[in-house]
Amino acid sequence: MKGKLYGVGVGPGDPDLLTIKAKDIINGVDVLFCPVKGDKSESFAYAIVEPHLHNKDVEIVDLTYIMNYKWNEIEDQWQKNAKIIESHLAKGKRCAFITLGDPTVYSTFMYTLERIAMTDYELEIIPGITSFCATAAVFGKPLTAWQETLKIIPVRKNDSAHLRDQIANEDNLVLMKPSNDASTIVGALEELGLTKNFKMISKVGTPAESIVDDIEQLKNTKIPYLSTMIIKKGGFND
Amino acid sequence: MKGKLYGVGVGPGDPDLLTIKAKDIINGVDVLFCPVKGDKSESFAYAIVEPHLHNKDVEIVDLTYIMNYKWNEIEDQWQKNAKIIESHLAKGKRCAFITLGDPTVYSTFMYTLERIAMTDYELEIIPGITSFCATAAVFGKPLTAWQETLKIIPVRKNDSAHLRDQIANEDNLVLMKPSNDASTIVGALEELGLTKNFKMISKVGTPAESIVDDIEQLKNTKIPYLSTMIIKKGGFND
């Protein structure tokens, strides 16, 4: 039997935002790969699927992904995780890699997939609810409507000119990982008169969910890693 | 009892891409509002939820949304549909409006919601799988990765200068409703040497799904209404 790998988006945090397809797959596979930040931390993706995982025979395999910018370490880790996944596929197993949000939007799954020799195996990717759709839903306002555009950008360290430019020019902007450069975001919002045009949620849909939509609060809050900010030129009250 | 309105994203087409939350809500409400194109057409959103709808007592209410650019007619229709929804909410009913993809991304639900006097009622929006995430999943490639950006734009008629500009300048571009100006898209892809950098799917996840990724095919195909195109500067083969 030929091994099969599923890349399964589990959404941003609420277990009930899992799709029916994702639920069926995690309950039908032999192996579940769960990304973890370090050897002792728990997998957030696993915590999301756990309430819907009734497959008692599934083998849980943690894969470590340390979050830093040391390229050699990251490449080593991706290669190592790719080899672990290959070893299970080579035995003809059905395997699911669970990943936060959607697998095709800034996901570690895709970086790992590129390093797996998939020639002999099947692949299926299951889309997931993105953090930005879940965040907009909480506020009851469109992310984007009618002729407007929507841009999604990852906030990087040492990228302030580009970030200011995006905040100045886009109709609707989603900032992924705003914790990487909160001071540039605050500066641009003030400079552009957009201090009332943003909303941010950390850990949307989880018991730890927190909302920041006041600029003073933004200045004084330590932004958690899993946060998404929406900036709307048209505002949130139209 | 206070009426409650749910705006429920049902995803792009595959019934199993409904979330567990969406399934629970459609099976728990008193009224299900289903957008239809005309009085005699069937609701595509209803076709998506039907396999998972086991609530025999739910009242199905079709709401007509004619797709044209006659502003007076459109406004009249939005107002009329808002009034129909209000009349059910006023009776204290729990109501779900089902909408393709995600409710916050170019959805008719939000235009209607703005016209409902919601002061006395509760609102909850349930995010859905977007067509662009489902489309990228089919190809097994990231929509956007690492430092890249992702832009989503609606293709409009008579907007070719703006459309060309976007195709020229964005890392990763999603074109919603490419059927509105296929000739500008083809022209820009040829001019910019990007004829191998696009993929398009119509009716993703349905039995009528069709893929176009050859420029000659794009020139000669009548693009259906429910189509999504991805253009990647980095290509699909990296």
Side-chain angles (χ1 to χ4, degrees):
Chain A
M1 198 180 136
K2 211 173 177 180
K4 180 162 182 174
L5 178 62
Y6 295 93
V8 179
V10 301
D14 178 346
D16 288 350
L17 289 184
L18 214 61
T19 63
I20 293 164
K21 187 168 271 190
K23 181 183 171 179
D24 289 347
I25 287 169
I26 61 169
N27 283 296
V29 292
D30 305 306
V31 183
L32 195 65
F33 296 112
C34 305
V36 295
K37 277 190 211 167
D39 289 331
K40 289 180 182 170
S41 68
E42 287 182 11
S43 168
F44 183 42
Y46 181 76
I48 293 172
V49 304
E50 194 176 20
H52 296 296
L53 185 65
H54 311 300
N55 174 357
K56 298 298 174 199
D57 298 326
V58 69
E59 182 181 356
I60 308 285
V61 176
D62 284 348
L63 298 177
T64 302
Y65 288 90
I66 292 170
M67 298 296 170
N68 65 24
Y69 293 85
K70 295 172 187 167
W71 291 105
N72 286 346
E73 285 182 25
I74 289 176
E75 183 60 41
D76 281 356
Q77 217 159 39
W78 287 345
Q79 296 279 3
K80 190 179 152 193
N81 290 337
K83 291 288 171 220
I84 293 170
I85 294 169
E86 274 180 23
S87 72
H88 290 272
L89 291 172
K91 292 175 193 158
K93 291 187 181 173
R94 288 160 57 87
C95 305
F97 185 118
I98 52 174
T99 185
L100 288 183
D102 178 79
T104 72
V105 178
Y106 304 115
S107 97
T108 307
F109 170 69
M110 299 305 280
Y111 306 140
T112 308
L113 177 63
E114 287 169 5
R115 286 158 179 84
I116 304 174
M118 285 295 296
T119 329
D120 293 331
Y121 315 117
E122 282 181 67
L123 171 70
E124 187 174 342
I125 296 182
I126 314 303
I129 300 291
T130 61
S131 68
F132 51 86
C133 288
T135 297
V138 170
F139 299 119
K141 294 292 167 189
L143 257 178
T144 185
W146 206 238
Q147 309 233 18
E148 298 168 0
T149 60
L150 170 65
K151 190 157 183 180
I152 293 106
I153 72 169
V155 175
R156 299 291 169 192
K157 295 181 204 296
N158 306 318
D159 193 30
S160 60
H162 175 250
L163 180 56
R164 275 171 184 261
D165 196 44
Q166 300 289 326
I167 294 173
N169 293 322
E170 297 296 334
D171 293 338
N172 300 291
L173 191 61
V174 168
L175 303 183
M176 308 289 278
K177 301 191 187 163
S179 57
N180 277 336
D181 192 352
S183 64
T184 295
I185 299 168
V186 168
L189 292 172
E190 289 188 330
E191 189 185 309
L192 298 163
L194 295 172
T195 55
K196 294 186 186 306
N197 293 56
F198 82 93
K199 291 188 184 282
M200 184 180 81
I201 306 188
S202 304
K203 301 187 177 174
V204 63
T206 72
E209 175 178 298
S210 66
I211 296 176
V212 172
D213 59 4
D214 179 278
I215 191 84
E216 295 306 319
Q217 203 185 346
L218 184 62
K219 285 179 192 170
N220 300 310
T221 300
K222 167 118 180 56
I223 303 178
Y225 175 71
L226 289 168
S227 301
T228 303
M229 183 184 290
I230 300 170
I231 302 173
K232 283 185 77 67
K233 283 294 149 55
F236 284 84
N237 300 314
D238 295 1
Chain B
M1 199 180 136
K2 213 172 175 180
K4 181 163 182 174
L5 179 61
Y6 296 92
V8 179
V10 301
D14 178 345
D16 288 349
L17 289 184
L18 214 60
T19 63
I20 292 165
K21 187 169 273 192
K23 181 182 172 180
D24 290 347
I25 286 169
I26 62 169
N27 282 297
V29 291
D30 305 305
V31 183
L32 196 65
F33 296 113
C34 305
V36 294
K37 276 191 211 165
D39 289 331
K40 288 181 183 170
S41 68
E42 286 182 15
S43 168
F44 183 41
Y46 182 76
I48 293 171
V49 303
E50 196 176 17
H52 296 296
L53 184 64
H54 311 302
N55 174 358
K56 299 296 175 201
D57 298 326
V58 71
E59 183 182 355
I60 307 286
V61 176
D62 284 348
L63 298 177
T64 303
Y65 289 89
I66 293 170
M67 298 295 171
N68 65 23
Y69 292 87
K70 295 171 186 167
W71 290 107
N72 287 345
E73 285 183 25
I74 289 175
E75 182 60 41
D76 281 354
Q77 217 160 39
W78 287 346
Q79 295 280 2
K80 191 180 152 194
N81 291 336
K83 290 290 171 217
I84 293 170
I85 295 169
E86 273 179 27
S87 71
H88 290 272
L89 291 171
K91 292 176 192 156
K93 291 186 179 172
R94 289 160 57 89
C95 306
F97 185 118
I98 52 175
T99 187
L100 289 183
D102 178 78
T104 73
V105 178
Y106 304 113
S107 97
T108 308
F109 171 69
M110 299 306 277
Y111 306 139
T112 308
L113 177 63
E114 287 170 5
R115 287 157 179 84
I116 304 173
M118 285 295 296
T119 328
D120 293 331
Y121 315 118
E122 283 181 67
L123 172 70
E124 188 174 341
I125 295 181
I126 314 303
I129 300 292
T130 61
S131 67
F132 51 86
C133 288
T135 297
V138 169
F139 299 119
K141 293 291 168 190
L143 258 178
T144 186
W146 206 239
Q147 308 232 16
E148 297 169 359
T149 60
L150 170 64
K151 191 157 183 179
I152 293 106
I153 73 168
V155 175
R156 299 292 170 192
K157 295 182 205 298
N158 306 316
D159 193 31
S160 60
H162 175 249
L163 180 55
R164 273 169 186 263
D165 196 44
Q166 300 290 326
I167 294 173
N169 293 320
E170 298 296 333
D171 294 337
N172 299 292
L173 191 61
V174 168
L175 303 183
M176 307 289 278
K177 301 191 187 162
S179 57
N180 276 335
D181 193 352
S183 64
T184 295
I185 298 169
V186 168
L189 292 173
E190 289 187 330
E191 189 185 309
L192 298 163
L194 295 173
T195 55
K196 294 187 185 305
N197 294 55
F198 83 94
K199 290 187 185 281
M200 185 179 79
I201 305 188
S202 304
K203 301 188 177 172
V204 62
T206 73
E209 175 177 299
S210 66
I211 296 176
V212 172
D213 59 4
D214 178 275
I215 192 82
E216 296 305 321
Q217 204 185 347
L218 184 63
K219 285 179 193 171
N220 300 312
T221 300
K222 167 116 182 56
I223 304 178
Y225 176 71
L226 290 169
S227 301
T228 303
M229 183 183 289
I230 301 170
I231 302 172
K232 284 184 75 69
K233 284 294 149 53
F236 284 84
N237 299 315
D238 295 0

